[in-house]
Amino acid sequence: MKRRALAAALTAAALALSACGDGAGGGGGTGDSDTLTEIDYYEAAPQNTQLPKLLDACGAEAGVKVQHQQVPRAQFMPKLLQQASAKAVPDLALIDNPDLPQLAATGGLVPLTGLSTEGLYPSIVNAGQYQGQTYGIAPGVNGLALYYNETLFQQAGLNPPKTWDELTAAAKRLTQGTKYGIAFSAVGTEEGSFQFEPFFWTAGASLKQLDSPEAIKALTLWKDLVDAKAASKSVVTWTQADVNDQFMAGNAAMMVNGPWQLPTLNKKTDLKFGIVPIPIPNASAKPVTPLGGEVWTVGKSNPEREKKALAVLKCLLSQEKSLEWSTNAGYIPSNQAAAQQLATTNPQLKAFVEEVATAQARTAELGTAYPKVSEALFNAIQACLAGGKSPEEALKAAQAAAK
């Protein structure tokens, strides 16, 4: 990010938080090195119940107490950027992987040169890098796959779709009355971009050219599904949690969603569902899904605090703890061996594990420019599905905004 843009972002963050204060669990600073600070944005189970347990266990192993703080997602990055401007980033921060370049650009993070990334998926390692150095490492990741209602598919005599044509045909056939064939999130936030990117990238599109023929083809797929009423017009307001609610209620025969929904879905014992990879345009296309999940970072403080923070982080990233976290929180381990082990013991995760191997970090093409381009992209989706613009018009405007 250019210096002027970064300064503007930091100023905006400071103004946004001036009314609510900094709260507990601020930056590492030079205080008691036996107590480390940690920050994340998990607001719901199982993540917000499992993480404190791991922090306590790894803190004890490293001989420190970890002070945990949860901040609402909307306030999270503004708060961290404000702390970075004050050179007071927490000792440990678990951040969404696309936000890593922006935070690393402030100079407030410690390069994780002492931690090994051997055995991790290359795409996961790439997601934690900025200007050739590793500043973040993910304990586990997530992605998107296609969930389908097995009962409805059996009644219709259908197999799970593998291509876009099969997806469209199945969605139309399974649409009856108030029940839609498919649900996805096209909300005007990063969630909307995240859900669209599997179709966007698999079509061969690039975030560097939002109005390419390949990008138009992907957005046309979504528009056709909505226009045919195989997907509800409300997808422009549905978050991924809303999509999951629609699927659980039987209002959608298929949905695009992630593994973090499994703990909730599995509680509904009368719902029989299967999971397959995101359908591709044709049999020869390469499946590419966005790499979801968070990376651990270490804030700059002093050598003693940084050393202890790295010791806690080494524990959190161990194969044992990575597998524990992923199993309990609905993630895929970053360690390839652990991921394969989990896929064997839990068939529900097989599709997600398959996709991780070819997943792409959202910042891989653009680095610190990603948030601006993502905003242009989800605005284009909204303009097309809710605003009446054609895919070509919406994406042309998005490309202009992204520049």
Side-chain angles (χ1 to χ4, degrees):
M1 176 180 286
K2 293 183 179 178
R3 187 174 299 175
R4 182 179 298 174
L6 177 59
L10 294 173
T11 300
L15 290 173
L17 289 167
S18 60
C20 60
D22 191 45
T30 57
D32 179 14
S33 60
D34 289 332
T35 301
L36 302 181
T37 56
E38 180 273 345
I39 190 170
D40 61 78
Y41 54 73
Y42 291 138
E43 298 182 79
Q47 291 87 359
N48 69 343
T49 58
Q50 296 301 318
L51 184 56
K53 297 177 183 178
L54 285 176
L55 290 171
D56 287 345
C58 287
E61 185 175 309
V64 296
K65 181 178 180 180
V66 181
Q67 183 181 1
H68 168 250
Q69 183 188 14
Q70 177 270 318
V71 174
R73 183 69 176 94
Q75 301 172 21
F76 185 75
M77 277 306 292
K79 181 179 181 70
L80 273 178
L81 290 172
Q82 180 194 40
Q83 291 173 326
S85 69
K87 302 186 185 304
V89 176
D91 298 299
L92 293 161
L94 190 58
I95 69 173
D96 198 9
N97 74 74
D99 293 329
L100 185 280
Q102 186 179 14
L103 188 58
T106 68
L109 300 180
V110 176
L112 305 180
T113 53
L115 296 179
S116 173
T117 57
E118 184 178 355
L120 305 187
Y121 286 98
S123 57
I124 293 174
V125 176
N126 184 54
Q129 293 184 333
Y130 173 70
Q131 293 187 342
Q133 291 200 75
T134 299
Y135 286 92
I137 301 178
V141 295
N142 57 56
L144 295 168
L146 185 74
Y147 288 73
Y148 65 97
N149 186 307
E150 291 183 338
T151 302
L152 295 178
F153 265 70
Q154 289 172 359
Q155 290 174 350
L158 294 171
N159 293 318
K162 295 181 179 180
T163 65
W164 287 7
D165 285 345
E166 292 175 358
L167 177 69
T168 301
K172 290 179 178 179
R173 184 167 176 180
L174 292 165
T175 298
Q176 297 181 0
T178 59
K179 295 184 178 182
Y180 294 92
I182 188 170
F184 47 83
S185 173
V187 68
T189 67
E190 172 62 19
E191 284 188 60
S193 296
F194 181 63
Q195 287 246 322
F196 182 61
E197 281 162 349
F199 302 92
F200 180 88
W201 280 331
T202 300
S206 167
L207 291 173
K208 294 180 179 180
Q209 191 64 43
L210 297 181
D211 58 350
S212 68
E214 294 83 3
I216 293 170
K217 181 179 180 181
L219 188 52
T220 299
L221 171 69
W222 273 23
K223 185 178 187 302
D224 287 348
L225 288 168
V226 173
D227 287 350
K229 298 183 179 180
S232 171
K233 290 184 178 180
S234 296
V235 295
V236 295
T237 65
W238 286 348
T239 65
Q240 293 176 112
D242 296 328
V243 169
N244 192 55
D245 289 341
Q246 293 295 323
F247 184 72
M248 289 181 64
N251 296 328
M254 294 179 284
M255 73 166 176
V256 177
N257 229 315
W260 60 87
Q261 306 292 8
L262 286 170
T264 302
L265 285 167
N266 288 331
K267 291 179 181 178
K268 190 172 176 59
T269 55
D270 61 336
L271 176 63
K272 295 182 179 180
F273 64 91
I275 308 170
V276 294
I278 297 287
I280 53 181
N282 53 69
S284 62
K286 176 186 176 183
V288 185
T289 58
L291 195 64
E294 297 76 25
V295 295
W296 279 113
T297 63
V298 173
K300 277 187 177 178
S301 53
N302 60 58
E304 185 178 1
R305 295 184 71 90
E306 291 170 7
K307 182 178 179 181
K308 291 184 177 181
L310 286 168
V312 174
L313 187 49
K314 184 177 181 180
C315 170
L316 290 168
L317 295 172
S318 67
Q319 184 171 337
E320 176 189 355
K321 288 294 190 289
S322 174
L323 184 57
E324 179 183 344
W325 165 250
S326 299
T327 301
N328 294 331
Y331 278 60
I332 305 302
S334 298
N335 182 279
Q336 296 186 56
Q340 294 300 326
Q341 179 182 345
L342 189 59
T344 300
T345 58
N346 187 347
Q348 287 185 326
L349 296 174
K350 183 179 179 182
F352 295 105
V353 173
E354 288 179 8
E355 292 177 330
V356 170
T358 56
Q360 180 169 301
R362 283 168 277 174
T363 55
E365 294 180 278
L366 304 171
T368 55
Y370 174 77
K372 181 179 180 181
V373 175
S374 173
E375 181 179 3
L377 184 59
F378 64 65
N379 284 337
I381 296 168
Q382 290 270 305
C384 180
L385 301 188
K389 287 190 175 182
S390 69
E392 293 87 348
E393 292 171 330
L395 289 169
K396 182 178 181 180
Q399 180 61 23
K403 287 184 176 179

